[in-house]
Amino acid sequence: MADQIEMLLRANISVKVLVSELCPDGERTGVFADDRIEWVKITNTCGGKNIVWHDYTNTSGGVHASFFEEAKLFAEDFVRYLGDVDVCILHDILYQGWHLVHNVAIRMAQERLPHTRFLAFTHSLPFNRPNNVEYPFSARFTDMPRTRFVYPTHSGIPALARQYDVPEGKCAVVYNALPLLSSMSADVQHIAENIDLMGAEILAVYPARLTTGKQFEKVAALTGAIKVTTEKTSKVVFCDFPSADIPSGVYKAMIRMEGKKYGLDEADMLFTSDVGYKDGFPRKGVFELFTLSNLFVCPSYSESFGLTVLEAGSRGNFLVLNEAVPALKELGETLGAYFMRWDARNFGYDTHEKYLPSEKAYYEEHGSRIADLMREDRSLRAKTMIRNRYHPQWIFKNQLLPLLEP
């Protein structure tokens, strides 16, 4: 529920939350304390006494004496406060036995709310539909007009449909979200506001001093080649910090030009120095970005060890290293990295690569091969899919929002 409220608020959709009048204001934390939420308290008293919610998971026997009187009181408040609501989202209200009185009440109110649609979420295994169940127990196994029944996985839809005796077409799937980004530092969240970290199928992160020796433009070029040859959404984040070797603005313009030449758009590249981190991005944030990314390209001209390679590899990134640099070749052979060749400094001499028929063809050939290997790596594929598909923005856009639209 908290994740869905955040999705709605992010989309500037008005949110009203209905809770018991006994719900203490002081316990509202996180998104529930957001002042954009209209917080509505529903009566929980009958005859001057607090209403006790009885658990009617057992579908036989009778209900307590004041059950229907309480249901009518709840129904009146539902009608009062849902009259201006387009879609009412119910979380386990039609499912849980101890919400039976609210279940019956919302069904009473629904008859007087002709313009309100309902999404009934079930968060546990659907119940087996009993035979000859009587009212009001039957409310937990009965369809409700203008209602879609929602479950977090496709595998549960047939059972959910059987519980409420509805066609499977009246059911829908909305995944539970893994809030990876919200669990990370404010620095990484700030980066995510400036480039699409979660939706990128190929996400490369390259932290380095902004010097030509680190060959940033090669990272941009290869990422662009992967984008062109695979048609995968591709992004690269440069966690850069200044160097005296070349003016930062000049070198960044060269990198952007090279990235665009090979297929990247302007929005596909981000320098952290352009969004407030002129002296470098926090080390903790770099590790968090490596947790999200799936590709690390190190075309560096010279390295004595390659600690960043270990950092990226420790977070499950596919490693592409410059084979012509001895330290990177040694480390890469140990780690099972993928090798490409770029200009390099060796012990006592420099090497310069020539590409036939062209450097572009070289990048595209290797880019296609890299994408295939990344796809075949089950762990890497799982990491990428979890970031792409189980984050709140994807779920909202592809699953929840279509259910909210008329």
Side-chain angles (χ1 to χ4, degrees):
M1 179 179 175
D3 291 337
Q4 290 177 11
I5 289 175
E6 287 189 359
M7 296 176 197
L8 296 170
L9 293 176
R10 182 183 290 271
N12 296 316
I13 295 175
S14 299
V15 175
K16 180 186 294 189
V17 176
L18 276 57
V19 298
S20 168
E21 64 178 320
L22 301 179
C23 185
D25 291 334
E27 293 186 9
R28 273 189 274 162
T29 60
V31 70
F32 295 107
D34 195 300
D35 58 13
R36 290 173 292 177
I37 297 174
E38 183 181 350
W39 200 260
V40 178
K41 294 195 172 183
I42 301 299
T43 185
N44 199 66
T45 57
C46 181
K49 297 181 180 180
N50 288 340
I51 295 174
V52 177
W53 302 356
H54 297 262
D55 187 355
Y56 290 110
T57 301
N58 191 332
T59 58
S60 60
V63 295
H64 61 280
S66 57
F67 178 92
F68 290 104
E69 183 181 0
E70 294 164 4
K72 289 178 181 178
L73 291 172
F74 287 132
E76 289 301 319
D77 268 6
F78 290 151
V79 171
R80 181 180 299 113
Y81 295 117
L82 294 177
D84 61 345
V85 170
D86 296 315
V87 180
C88 175
I89 300 177
L90 307 170
H91 283 277
D92 276 341
I93 300 300
L94 303 188
Y95 173 82
Q96 293 285 4
W98 54 277
H99 272 312
L100 182 63
V101 66
H102 304 101
N103 182 340
V104 170
I106 200 68
R107 291 172 184 275
M108 291 178 178
Q110 194 260 358
E111 297 174 0
R112 296 159 60 189
L113 296 168
H115 304 296
T116 303
R117 293 179 291 115
F118 294 83
L119 299 179
F121 278 78
T122 293
H123 296 288
S124 303
L125 286 175
F127 282 100
N128 290 326
R129 182 178 178 81
N131 295 321
N132 303 319
V133 62
E134 297 182 357
Y135 185 80
F137 302 103
S138 59
R140 295 178 57 231
F141 307 95
T142 305
D143 188 11
M144 191 168 83
R146 301 189 305 281
T147 300
R148 293 289 296 275
F149 296 89
V150 188
Y151 199 70
T153 62
H154 291 277
S155 59
I157 292 299
L160 187 71
R162 287 194 298 270
Q163 175 176 340
Y164 293 102
D165 195 21
V166 296
E168 291 185 21
K170 198 173 182 181
C171 301
V173 172
V174 175
Y175 296 152
N176 291 337
L178 177 65
L180 273 176
L181 196 58
S182 62
S183 69
M184 295 183 174
S185 65
D187 296 307
V188 171
Q189 292 180 41
H190 179 61
I191 298 302
E193 292 171 359
N194 291 274
I195 191 169
D196 183 9
L197 296 176
M198 307 309 289
E201 296 169 283
I202 301 293
L203 177 61
V205 173
Y206 189 49
R209 183 164 54 93
L210 197 60
T211 173
T212 55
K214 294 298 182 181
Q215 304 198 112
F216 281 70
E217 68 277 9
K218 308 301 184 184
V219 179
L222 180 59
T223 307
I226 293 174
K227 178 182 177 181
V228 168
T229 56
T230 65
E231 298 185 349
K232 292 181 179 291
T233 54
S234 303
K235 309 287 182 183
V236 57
V237 177
F238 296 111
C239 300
D240 60 305
F241 54 95
S243 166
D245 298 351
I246 185 172
S248 295
V250 172
Y251 190 30
K252 284 193 282 189
M254 293 169 56
I255 297 164
R256 288 192 178 98
M257 184 181 300
E258 198 74 359
K260 292 176 184 177
K261 174 183 174 183
Y262 283 88
L264 294 181
D265 296 322
E266 183 72 30
D268 295 332
M269 296 173 280
L270 177 76
F271 292 87
T272 58
S273 60
D274 288 340
V275 292
Y277 302 92
K278 293 185 177 180
D279 296 321
F281 196 66
R283 184 174 177 81
K284 178 176 183 284
V286 172
F287 273 99
E288 290 177 332
L289 287 174
F290 278 146
T291 301
L292 297 175
S293 63
N294 55 8
L295 176 65
F296 177 72
V297 182
C298 185
S300 182
Y301 188 74
S302 175
E303 292 289 342
S304 61
F305 179 71
L307 183 61
T308 311
V309 176
L310 296 183
E311 294 173 345
S314 73
R315 296 300 190 269
N317 284 263
F318 188 91
L319 304 176
V320 181
L321 308 182
N322 188 350
E323 186 178 26
V325 174
L328 294 179
K329 182 178 182 182
E330 177 184 335
L331 196 56
E333 287 176 344
T334 302
L335 300 176
Y338 185 92
F339 288 113
M340 292 178 64
R341 294 190 68 88
W342 289 281
D343 293 349
R345 174 168 294 159
N346 214 302
F347 296 109
Y349 60 92
D350 296 342
T351 59
H352 300 280
E353 300 299 323
K354 293 184 179 180
Y355 304 103
L356 296 174
S358 67
E359 188 171 7
K360 183 175 185 293
Y362 179 76
Y363 287 157
E364 290 183 352
E365 176 188 350
H366 284 278
S368 178
R369 193 177 302 163
I370 288 167
D372 286 342
L373 291 171
M374 291 177 68
R375 183 176 59 251
E376 292 167 4
D377 185 318
R378 293 185 179 183
S379 296
L380 189 58
R381 183 172 179 270
K383 175 185 177 178
T384 303
M385 184 168 288
I386 288 167
R387 172 171 54 79
N388 285 167
R389 186 167 294 183
Y390 296 93
H391 69 92
Q393 294 94 323
W394 189 95
I395 293 170
F396 178 74
K397 178 182 177 181
N398 294 280
Q399 294 182 327
L400 183 57
L401 182 59
L403 297 178
L404 300 178
E405 295 172 339

